[in-house]
């Protein structure tokens, strides 16, 4: 499928989507299918029908607008005006969905109607409502029944009436406001509104679908005003009872509950659960909009009703002893969880508003929410779905997702419920809620973990855990064999570590890590790192788990930079270093290795971008044990140790040197060869930080044999390892002796492949490495012949400054080798470099230097220029020939112009450039954007070329003499001494025959009829005849004079008109309208005014961008096709006047 077919397909798909969206919203659109081939009559009839339809719609809109204006003249027009605007805008939306492009006047009129309707809508909203508004309830209901405003976003941009779409969502808000005000007027009006069929359901559907916050608030206000919340609460309780009644009717015998009866039961329960979920969701939406709504809901019994929904699965199992038997095949577990989740969410939202929070907390707690929420969180995690059939697996996965969401929502609700309420926190502890929340920390769902941690923080559990840690630490120091204290200490540290994970808490304390640190966790946990030393060597193994958890907690707390110094001041570094020293690589067992890993992780986070702590780690002796851990067999420990060394080596020369002196390089190089992606990623990262700005370490790394393993990482499946390897090779490339080795060992091709990767950083590092490698002459040729030129050029098109600069630097290197120049030019590099908008000034400077370097190579190497000429002339019709001709127009610039003459006249470079201006056959035309680009490049090249030649052409020997004056100005149009009269269309002119003696015989009669000329034209003709003056600014008059001159063979007048018009084109420059240029060129061609034609053609070349923008590519090509002979004529004449230079000629033709 070609691009045109794809575009048509995409357009058809968009039309289909718009129709589906509109039909779903209750809107009927017109058929917009294109007529079949050969049905011109039907197409014309269809177009006529559409034009008629547009006119009819315009009349309809006008009538509706008149009716709206009349409504506003009535007293209290609020409701009627809203209903009228809703119908009008809906009709306009239908029109914009189905209409083809409209005449501008119709479109403007429809938009004006819409803007006026919006203005009236705002005014109507400020008026009072009256009982008359009840007569419009059906119209308001209709506006809410179909979600037609949703189609506005789908069709935005499909039609020019986008200003209507911008405020379409305002309509349902105004409708809801009107309904709320009607309901609040009196009870009778409220009953009438509620009794209107479909109105309440329309409001609820609007609440579900409307994205506008103001609109949702208005709908919530309307629902509250209509007491819909009371209906919803009643329906919620009724739904629960309905489900339980259905379960009670399950027969005890399995055979009696099969087939149709089971299917009916399942359908009924599923429908009721879905309605229950939707009702709870409505309460959520109402609660979100306004704190006052929460108070209304609480007074209506929302707390008791929502809490009644909690524990629904247990209620379902409790009413029938046979329900559990059929539960696996009924599949209601996920639906029940979803309903409970919405109830928990509603409770959370109700308790989130600070206003009257204590009152609402009391109502929810009194309803029994605390034990209900704890029971929900205490449910066992969902079972694994492996080993089940496809249908059962889907049901199990749906239940697992719903179960995790429910646990999260329950934890959120509990956190809001106990916030700032100590009595409720005590009740949660009495219900064993703390241990339940701590159990949720072990769930694999991160959202559940985050919610449980937030609830524990609100409960103040982190402060209690700190005290528990301090108490159990003292116990163990006094009694090292106290197993219960040891287990409690381990659990407390582990829980505190989980609480320290990143995330916002449910209270105002801020980040979880900060909340834990403020509770004194650092000072309580740091002593645990040296607990083994305090209690004695014989208990080392017993405290390994505690040391591991303590290291883990410190690592998490150190993940925030603001906590690093506090942890270091508490003495963490000596303890961490001691742990690293205590567990050498040869130690076996799960506990020791995990301790070493957690300790290394803690060092990594503590030292991150903190140079003082990096130095402290070195002073404390932490580097040797970390280097030693690189030899462990445990891959996790390897990675942790390498990560710590990587952090310590970053921008710290003393640490770099010690790492190298400790013998880390051989093991790091071995790790680079590892197949484990995480290991070789960390290893190459360490090496990269070691060699950065350290020449002596770089030399040692290369001497140790790191080059080939690093090159091998360029083909790794790990993008991070590829990026680090490319960066490291770029650093290696500063060592001259290794630049060629890298290319010889296969670094170039994978680096070039990385240039096309979607990872921005990967492309940046690959370009960086190639730029460094391209500073070697042999590498320059290797990179280019490995197809590296085009990807580097493509990087210049991106919008990232670093990528552009790295690519520009690499291209600058490639241009240094004259063997590369022909291929660089043939690829169109010169044009692409000149036409790029670069972000960073350094990139712009680099591109300029590259172009200057290419010019220098062409100027200094006759071999390069001869080869380029050979490539250009071998196949003049090939795209390469055009690219080379364009490039040479910019690059060739010898002092005498002989090389220019050789390239563009003798070797036919000029015809190649001119051919690009000619309209081509459809088969030879490239895609439109490429066609425009080539056309613009050829025009610019011709402009540059002709400017160069013009500067080298010697000046004219003498200007043309002026026309002598025949009479003085005082005799101009003087009837007293005249002997000839000229009659124009509306004016007479008196003249002297002698002044027109050299004119044709038509000027010699006593009375001459020139009624075919305008008076101002003939006046200008007489002025030129008498005083030899032309008003060059009146180009319209000068153009008419030139026509007269051609008509009557007045050569001098024609010459002067040509000069004036040509000078006008040159002087106006970019200000000259493109259409005027075309008109003047066509006039000049018809009158054989070569100098004017030439001036217009040269103007078109210089200002081609404006011409293309105004005329379009086809229009501009039609003009340039006519201009080619004039440009060719002018160029050859200019080249002919160039002085001959034998030396330059011999340089290009040595034989």
């Amino acid at each position: 499928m070609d691009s045109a077919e794809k575009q048509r397909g995409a357009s058809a798909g968009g039309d289909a989507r718009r129709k589906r969206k509109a039909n779903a919203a209750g809107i009927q659109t017109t058929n917009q299918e294109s007529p079949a081939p050969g049905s011109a009559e039907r197409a014309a009839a269809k177009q006529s029908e559409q034009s008629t339809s547009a006119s009819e719609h315009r009349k309809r809109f006008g009538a509706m607008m008149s009716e709206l204006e009349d409504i506003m003249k009535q007293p209290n027009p609020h409701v009627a005006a809203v209903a009228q605007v809703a119908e009008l805008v809906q009709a306009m939306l239908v029109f914009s969905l189905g209409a083809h492009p409209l005449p501008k006047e119709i479109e403007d009129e429809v938009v004006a109607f819409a803007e006026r309707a919006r203005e009236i809508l705002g005014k109507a909203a400020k008026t009072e409502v009256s009982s008359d508004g009840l007569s419009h309830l059906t119209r308001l209901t209709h506006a809410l029944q179909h979600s037609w405003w949703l189609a506005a976003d789908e069709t935005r941009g499909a039609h020019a009436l986008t200003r209507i779409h911008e405020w379409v969502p305002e309509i349902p808000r105004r409708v809801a406001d009107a309904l709320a005000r009607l309901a609040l007027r009196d009870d009778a009006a409220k009953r009438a509104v509620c009794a209107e069929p479909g109105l309440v359901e329309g409001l609820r559907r609007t609440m579900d679908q409307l994205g506008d916050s103001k609109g949702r608030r208005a709908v919530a206000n309307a629902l509250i005003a209509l007491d819909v919340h009371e209906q919803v609460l009643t329906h919620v309780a009724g739904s629960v009872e309905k489900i339980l009644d259905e379960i009670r009717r399950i027969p005890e015998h399995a055979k009696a509950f099969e087939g149709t009866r089971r299917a009916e039961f399942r359908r009924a329960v599923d429908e009721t659960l879905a309605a229950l979920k939707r009702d709870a969701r409505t309460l959520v939406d109402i609660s979100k909009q306004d704190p006052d709504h929460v108070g209304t809901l609480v007074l209506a019994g929302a707390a008791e009703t929502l809490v009644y929904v909690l524990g629904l699965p247990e209620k379902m199992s409790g009413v029938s002893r046979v329900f559990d038997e059929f539960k696996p095949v009924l599949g209601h577990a996920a639906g029940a969880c979803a309903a409970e989740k919405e109830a928990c969410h509603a409770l959370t939202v109700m308790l989130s508003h600070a206003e009257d929070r204590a009152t609402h907390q009391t109502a929810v707690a009194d309803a029994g929410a605390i034990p209900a929420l704890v029971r929900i969180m205490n449910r066992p995690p969902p079972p694994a779905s492996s080993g089940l059939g496809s249908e059962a697996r889907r049901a199990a996965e749906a239940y697992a997702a719903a179960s995790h969401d429910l646990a999260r929502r329950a934890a959120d609700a509990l956190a809001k419920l106990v916030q700032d309420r100590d009595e409720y926190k005590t009740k949660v502890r009495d219900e064993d809620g703390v241990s339940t929340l701590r159990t949720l920390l072990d769930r694999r769902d991160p959202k559940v973990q985050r919610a449980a941690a937030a609830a524990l923080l609100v409960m103040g559990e982190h402060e209690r855990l700190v005290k528990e840690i301090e108490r159990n630490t003292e116990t163990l120091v006094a009694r090292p064999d106290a197993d219960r204290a040891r287990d409690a200490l381990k659990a407390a540290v582990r829980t505190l570590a989980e609480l320290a994970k990143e995330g916002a808490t449910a209270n105002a304390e801020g980040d979880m890590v900060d909340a834990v640190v403020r509770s004194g966790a650092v000072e309580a946990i740091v002593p645990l790192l040296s607990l083994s030393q305090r209690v004695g060597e014989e208990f080392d193994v017993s405290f390994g788990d505690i040391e591991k958890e303590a290291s883990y907690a410190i690592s998490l707390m150190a993940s925030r930079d603001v906590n690093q110094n506090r942890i270091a001041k508490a003495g963490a570094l000596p303890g961490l270093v001691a742990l690293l020293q205590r567990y050498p690589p040869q130690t076996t067992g799960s506990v020791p290795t995990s301790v070493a890993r957690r300790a290394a992780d803690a060092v990594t986070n503590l030292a991150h971008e903190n140079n003082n702590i990096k130095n402290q780690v070195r002073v404390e002796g932490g580097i040797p044990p970390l280097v030693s851990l690189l030899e462990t067999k445990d891959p996790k420990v390897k990675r942790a140790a390498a990560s710590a060394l990587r952090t310590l080596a970053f921008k710290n020369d003393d640490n770099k040197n010690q790492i190298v002196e400790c013998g880390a390089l051989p093991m790091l190089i071995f790790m680079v060869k590892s197949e484990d992606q995480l290991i070789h990623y960390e290893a190459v990262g360490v090496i990269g930080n070691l060699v950065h700005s350290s020449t002596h370490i770089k030399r040692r790394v290369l001497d140790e044999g790191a080059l080939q393993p690093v090159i091998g990482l360029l083909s790794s499946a790990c993008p991070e390892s590829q990026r680090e390897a490319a960066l490291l090779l770029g650093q290696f490339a500063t060592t001259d002796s290794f630049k060629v080795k890298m290319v010889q060992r296969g670094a170039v091709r994978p680096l070039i492949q990385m240039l096309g990767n979607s990872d921005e950083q990967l492309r940046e590092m690959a370009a960086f490495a190639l730029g460094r490698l391209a500073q070697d002459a042999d590498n320059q040729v290797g990179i280019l012949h490995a197809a590296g030129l085009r990807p580097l050029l493509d990087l210049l098109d991106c919008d990232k400054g670093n990528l552009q600069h790295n690519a520009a630097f690499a291209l600058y290197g490639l241009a240094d080798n004259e063997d590369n120049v022909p291929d660089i030019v043939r690829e169109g590099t010169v044009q692409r470099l000149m036409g790029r908008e670069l972000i960073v000034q350094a990139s712009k400077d680099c591109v300029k230097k590259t172009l200057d370097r290419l010019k220098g190579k062409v100027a200094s190497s006759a071999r390069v220029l001869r080869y380029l000429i050979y490539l250009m002339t071998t196949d003049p019709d090939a795209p390469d020939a055009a690219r080379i001709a364009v490039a040479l127009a910019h690059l060739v610039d010898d002092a005498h112009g002989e090389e220019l003459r050789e390239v563009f006249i003798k070797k036919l470079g000029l015809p190649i450039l001119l051919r690009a201006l000619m309209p081509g056959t459809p088969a030879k035309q490239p895609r439109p954007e490429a066609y425009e680009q080539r056309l613009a490049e050829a025009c610019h090249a011709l402009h540059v070329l002709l400017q160069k030649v013009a500067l080298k052409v010697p000046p004219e020997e003498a200007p043309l003499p002026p026309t002598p004056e025949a009479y003085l100005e005082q005799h101009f149009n003087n009837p007293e001494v005249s002997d000839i009269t000229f009659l124009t269309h509306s004016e007479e002119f008196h003249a002297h025959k002698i002044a027109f003696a050299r004119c044709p015989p038509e000027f010699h009669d006593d009375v001459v009829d020139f009624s075919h000329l305008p008076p101002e034209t003939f006046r200008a003709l007489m002025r030129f005849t008498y005083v030899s003056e032309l008003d060059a600014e009146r180009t319209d008059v000068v153009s008419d004079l030139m026509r007269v001159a051609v008509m009557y063979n007045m050569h001098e007048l024609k010459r002067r008109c040509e000069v004036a018009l040509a000078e006008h084109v040159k002087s106006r420059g970019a200000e000259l309208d493109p259409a005027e240029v075309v008109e003047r060129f066509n006039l000049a061609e018809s009158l054989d005014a070569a100098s004017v034609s030439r001036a217009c053609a040269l103007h078109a070349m210089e200002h081609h961008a404006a011409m293309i923008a105004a005329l379009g590519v086809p229009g501009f090509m039609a003009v340039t096709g006519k201009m080619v002979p004039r440009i060719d004529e002018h160029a050859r004449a200019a080249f002919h006047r160039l002085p001959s230079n034998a030396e330059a000629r011999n340089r290009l033709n040595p034989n």
Side-chain angles (χ1 to χ4, degrees), residues 821-1016:
V821 173
D823 291 318
I824 291 175
V825 171
R826 181 163 52 181
E827 187 63 35
T829 303
V830 173
Q831 297 89 305
R832 297 187 67 174
L833 291 179
M834 295 180 65
R836 290 297 166 266
E837 291 293 333
L838 303 177
I839 299 172
V840 182
Q841 184 60 43
S843 302
K844 299 176 183 179
D845 296 339
C846 195
V847 165
K848 183 179 183 302
K849 291 178 181 178
T850 303
L851 291 171
D852 291 341
R853 178 172 278 182
L854 290 172
K855 288 181 182 179
K857 297 296 179 182
V858 171
S860 62
S861 174
R863 177 173 62 89
V864 170
L865 184 55
R866 287 199 303 270
Y867 185 53
L868 286 170
I869 293 173
Y870 167 77
L871 293 174
M872 182 180 69
T873 56
T874 299
D875 186 1
D877 295 327
D880 283 357
R883 285 194 288 268
I884 293 172
V886 169
L888 290 179
H890 296 285
L891 299 179
V892 177
D893 192 13
D894 58 308
H896 300 283
E898 190 63 41
E899 292 182 357
L900 289 170
R901 186 184 356 242
E902 182 73 20
V903 172
F904 291 99
I905 300 300
K906 297 182 179 179
K907 301 302 183 182
L908 304 179
L910 180 61
I912 293 173
L913 289 178
L914 294 175
R915 192 178 297 118
L917 307 184
M918 299 292 292
T921 60
K924 292 185 178 181
Q925 291 180 357
R927 61 185 187 277
E929 59 272 16
Y931 200 17
E932 180 178 349
Q933 180 181 347
R934 293 184 189 180
L935 178 60
E937 290 171 355
C939 290
H940 184 50
L942 282 166
H943 171 65
V944 171
L945 174 64
L946 295 176
Q947 275 193 324
K948 289 181 180 179
V949 176
L951 293 174
K952 303 177 191 305
V953 170
E956 297 279 356
E957 293 183 359
L960 292 174
T963 303
E965 295 184 3
Y967 283 89
L968 297 177
E969 188 172 0
Q970 56 266 29
H971 298 295
F972 175 75
N973 199 15
N974 187 345
E976 295 181 0
V977 294
S978 66
D979 56 2
I980 185 171
T981 301
F982 294 97
L983 302 178
T984 64
H985 179 66
S986 59
E987 191 174 343
E988 292 184 2
F989 292 90
H990 305 277
H992 306 82
K993 291 183 179 180
I994 192 172
F996 292 91
R998 303 180 64 180
C999 293
E1002 290 87 341
F1003 289 82
H1004 297 164
D1005 294 337
D1006 293 340
V1007 178
V1008 183
D1009 183 10
F1010 272 90
S1011 58
H1012 58 283
L1013 291 182
E1016 60 269 20

Side-chain angles (χ1 to χ4, degrees), residues 310-340:
L310 306 182
L312 181 59
E314 289 82 3
K315 292 183 177 69
M316 294 167 69
S317 298
V319 298
S320 174
R321 64 184 182 82
V322 296
F323 176 72
D324 289 340
E325 178 183 348
F326 296 105
K327 189 186 298 184
V329 296
L330 293 177
H332 297 309
C337 284
E340 287 182 300

Side-chain angles (χ1 to χ4, degrees), residues 573 576 580 598-608 617 626 644 648:
L573 288 176
L576 291 172
L580 294 173
R598 293 300 189 189
D601 289 340
V603 170
T604 301
N605 287 348
L606 273 172
H608 178 68
V617 173
L626 285 171
L648 294 172

Side-chain angles (χ1 to χ4, degrees), residues 159-207:
H159 191 269
L161 305 179
T162 54
R163 279 181 286 178
I164 300 176
H165 300 163
E166 291 173 358
W167 64 278
V168 161
E170 187 176 335
I171 303 299
R173 174 166 67 88
R174 297 298 189 184
V175 171
D177 283 339
L179 291 172
R181 295 175 67 174
L182 275 173
L184 294 173
R185 190 173 183 277
D186 54 52
D187 291 340
K190 181 187 297 186
R191 288 193 296 271
V193 174
C194 291
E196 180 67 26
L199 193 147
V200 172
E201 180 59 29
L203 282 172
R204 294 186 65 181
R205 185 185 299 112
T206 302
M207 175 69 83

Side-chain angles (χ1 to χ4, degrees), residues 50-70:
Q50 290 164 356
S51 177
T52 303
S53 175
S55 178
E56 291 175 353
H57 274 89
R58 178 175 60 174
K59 293 178 181 178
R60 179 189 175 196
F61 297 154
M64 296 178 75
M65 280 300 305
S66 298
E67 186 177 351
L68 179 59
E69 297 283 0
D70 293 338

